[in-house]
Amino acid sequence: MNTSSRTRILKRLAACALWLGVWQAAGLLVGSDILLASPLDTCRRLVSIVASERFLPILWFSFSRIAGGFLAAFVLGVALGFLANRSSLIRELLAPLVLAFKSIPVACIVVLLLIWVGSREVSGIAVFLMAFPALYLATVEGLGQVDEKLGQMLSVFGVGPVRRLLAHTWPSLLPYLVATSRNACGMAWKAGVAAELIGTPLGSMGERIYQAKILLETADLFAWTVIVVAVSYLCEQAFLWLLRQTGPVALRCAVPRAGVPSAAPAQPGPIALKDAALGYDGMPVIEKLTLSLAAGERGVLTDASGTGKTTLLLTVAGLLPELAGTVQRPQSLSMVFQETRLIEELDAEDNVLLVGAGSLSRADVRSLLLELLPEEALGRPVRELSGGQRRRVELARALAYPSAALLLDEPFSSLDEETHEQAVRVVVLHLNGRTLLMSSHAPEDVSALDARQLTLS
């Protein structure tokens, strides 16, 4: 434990001691255990309650229902949030229900539940109805913020929906669920105990609090309140810890751990556009473009910035629809995008293996990366690498995938002259006869790659 952590803990303990002292002084000043039990009386009753043989059954009764209601709300809220994210119809159908759950007072819900289901199950259902809207809305909001560009990259490399969920969607959604659960866990215990207090099912915490109120046992009331707060805090911390662990676990499950046998690369495929209009949202950037590369041919676009090189590459990759004309694409593609698209929490090897499973073993991936990167860069999350190193990870990823064609959008940007030349040699070595379409601001790349110079004008 570092010095700042120790200091923070000491400050909190000092604050607690201060308020306990204020409580004790107030108890002595009031002079009535019925009006205000002192901390010492509360502690004595707390020890007596916890030591009694009835405590664990009472604790289990309330815990099982409150925790069960919260977990049901979490599972259903996340599941329906995913469905609502994919279907506007489901989102519209759920909107009135979610609004009703958010707006109706807990006391009204509890009274209705007492009529419908009785007192023993009322707390679990009340917790579910309280927690569900927050978790559902957090899921919808989180999924709406997931980086679409990373999803596009994974789809280009043929990563299946389950591994896309594990590697990208779930880690992106997780911060929203953690933030919401931090509040919802505490609110679940408040709603659950309040429901028990109204319904007073025998053997529950709420029933014991109600009895303390009826019998004017203020020390018991305070003691049970301390128990509820402590159990609520422990449940919150345990659930949040488990929830946070799902992020690293999902990433580990998305990437194959064991080496896999090398797979034969796909046969090279041609790239051809005829009278094509390319652009975004119906607005053309390029019009009447005719361009072709035979299977296995190499072409380098050397036009100036803003002429549509990235638009062309994204259209060939199938990420943008052509506005007019025809575009012929190979069946499989690998790509280096203009901007960085990496899974930041994974290291270089796992970023390559995530999309290249079945093409190279882990040893092969490491060997390929060592042709581009220093060894010390391989075991670190890519978020810690420099811009040039991250660019080379993306280049290795594209080369590792067994595609029919390779699309490279300024792949050597952020590289110094020596590293640039090294990367060009690696591309030539590992192209393996595939069709190459690349954009570059370095005219010398045309001859270095033994390619044909292409122009969009």
Side-chain angles (χ1 to χ4, degrees), residues 359-377:
S359 59
L360 294 175
S361 68
R362 182 170 288 275
D364 292 333
V365 167
R366 184 175 182 82
S367 177
L368 173 60
L369 284 165
L370 286 173
E371 295 181 41
L372 292 163
L373 292 163
E375 186 172 6
E376 60 268 18

Side-chain angles (χ1 to χ4, degrees), residues 106-430:
V106 173
C108 295
I109 292 176
V110 171
V111 171
L112 286 172
L113 291 174
L114 288 173
I115 297 172
W116 293 341
V117 301
S119 63
R120 293 188 65 81
E121 307 303 329
V122 69
S123 58
I125 302 174
V127 167
F128 172 86
L129 297 177
M130 184 282 305
F132 171 79
L135 293 164
Y136 166 80
L137 293 172
T139 302
V140 172
E141 174 68 18
L143 291 175
Q145 301 301 317
V146 170
D147 188 351
E148 292 183 4
K149 291 184 176 181
L150 270 180
Q152 290 177 345
M153 179 273 294
L154 294 171
S155 67
V156 166
F157 283 95
V159 177
V162 173
R163 289 200 296 131
R164 285 205 301 271
L165 170 67
L166 294 173
H168 175 44
T169 308
W170 184 256
S172 300
L173 173 61
L174 196 55
Y176 292 86
L177 294 179
V178 168
T180 301
S181 297
R182 182 178 289 112
N183 293 323
C185 282
M187 291 301 296
W189 275 91
K190 290 180 181 179
V193 173
E196 290 179 347
L197 187 59
I198 296 172
T200 59
L202 292 176
S204 68
M205 287 185 176
E207 187 254 345
R208 300 312 303 164
I209 293 173
Y210 181 78
Q211 290 296 327
K213 173 251 184 183
I214 292 296
L215 300 175
L216 300 179
E217 294 174 342
T218 309
D220 280 29
L221 176 61
F222 283 7
W224 279 109
T225 302
V226 170
I227 291 169
V228 170
V229 170
V231 173
S232 171
Y233 175 79
L234 292 175
C235 288
E236 174 188 320
Q237 295 303 308
F239 181 78
L240 292 178
W241 182 85
L242 289 172
L243 186 57
R244 291 189 185 101
Q245 301 314 302
T246 63
V249 170
L251 288 172
R252 286 197 296 270
C253 292
V255 179
R257 294 292 98 193
V260 291
S262 297
Q267 291 297 314
I271 297 173
L273 298 92
K274 184 176 181 181
D275 295 328
L278 314 178
Y280 301 84
D281 300 324
M283 300 296 294
V285 175
I286 307 170
E287 296 187 89
K288 293 188 178 302
L289 175 64
T290 296
L291 180 152
S292 65
L293 285 174
E297 190 177 4
R298 306 172 188 178
V300 177
L301 297 159
T302 57
D303 299 81
S305 297
T307 54
K309 299 189 298 296
T310 295
T311 304
L312 169 61
L313 290 168
L314 291 175
T315 303
V316 172
L319 299 177
L320 289 176
E322 57 272 23
L323 305 180
T326 60
V327 177
Q328 181 183 0
R329 306 174 177 89
Q331 289 187 343
S332 62
L333 294 160
S334 54
M335 186 170 182
V336 171
F337 295 83
Q338 186 177 54
E339 69 288 329
T340 301
R341 301 191 188 190
L342 293 166
I343 305 298
E344 299 291 341
E345 300 303 317
L346 295 177
D347 62 24
E349 289 183 39
D350 284 345
N351 264 282
V352 176
L353 281 169
L354 174 66
V355 304
S359 59
L360 294 175
S361 68
R362 182 170 288 275
D364 292 333
V365 167
R366 184 175 182 82
S367 177
L368 173 60
L369 284 165
L370 286 173
E371 295 181 41
L372 292 163
L373 292 163
E375 186 172 6
E376 60 268 18
L378 301 193
R380 296 153 55 193
V382 294
R383 68 173 185 275
E384 299 178 5
L385 303 183
S386 67
Q389 290 174 331
R390 290 155 63 85
R391 201 64 175 160
R392 282 172 276 170
V393 173
E394 293 187 295
L395 185 58
R397 180 179 65 192
L399 292 170
Y401 186 70
S403 58
L406 197 64
L407 306 179
L408 306 180
D409 194 352
E410 300 180 18
F412 310 129
S413 60
S414 305
L415 303 184
D416 57 43
E417 183 177 353
E418 181 181 353
T419 309
H420 184 151
E421 294 175 356
Q422 177 192 18
V424 169
R425 290 194 297 270
V426 172
V427 170
V428 173
L429 180 63
H430 293 281

Side-chain angles (χ1 to χ4, degrees), residues 50-98:
V50 172
S52 70
E53 59 182 22
R54 297 184 58 191
F55 174 70
L56 289 180
I58 291 172
L59 177 63
W60 173 250
F61 182 99
S62 296
F63 170 80
S64 62
R65 286 157 176 78
I66 294 172
F70 178 81
L71 291 176
F74 183 89
V75 171
L76 193 61
V78 171
L80 290 178
F82 269 91
L83 291 176
N85 182 67
R86 298 180 64 88
S87 170
S88 59
L89 175 61
I90 292 177
R91 187 162 57 249
E92 293 301 324
L93 287 174
L94 288 175
L97 192 64
V98 172

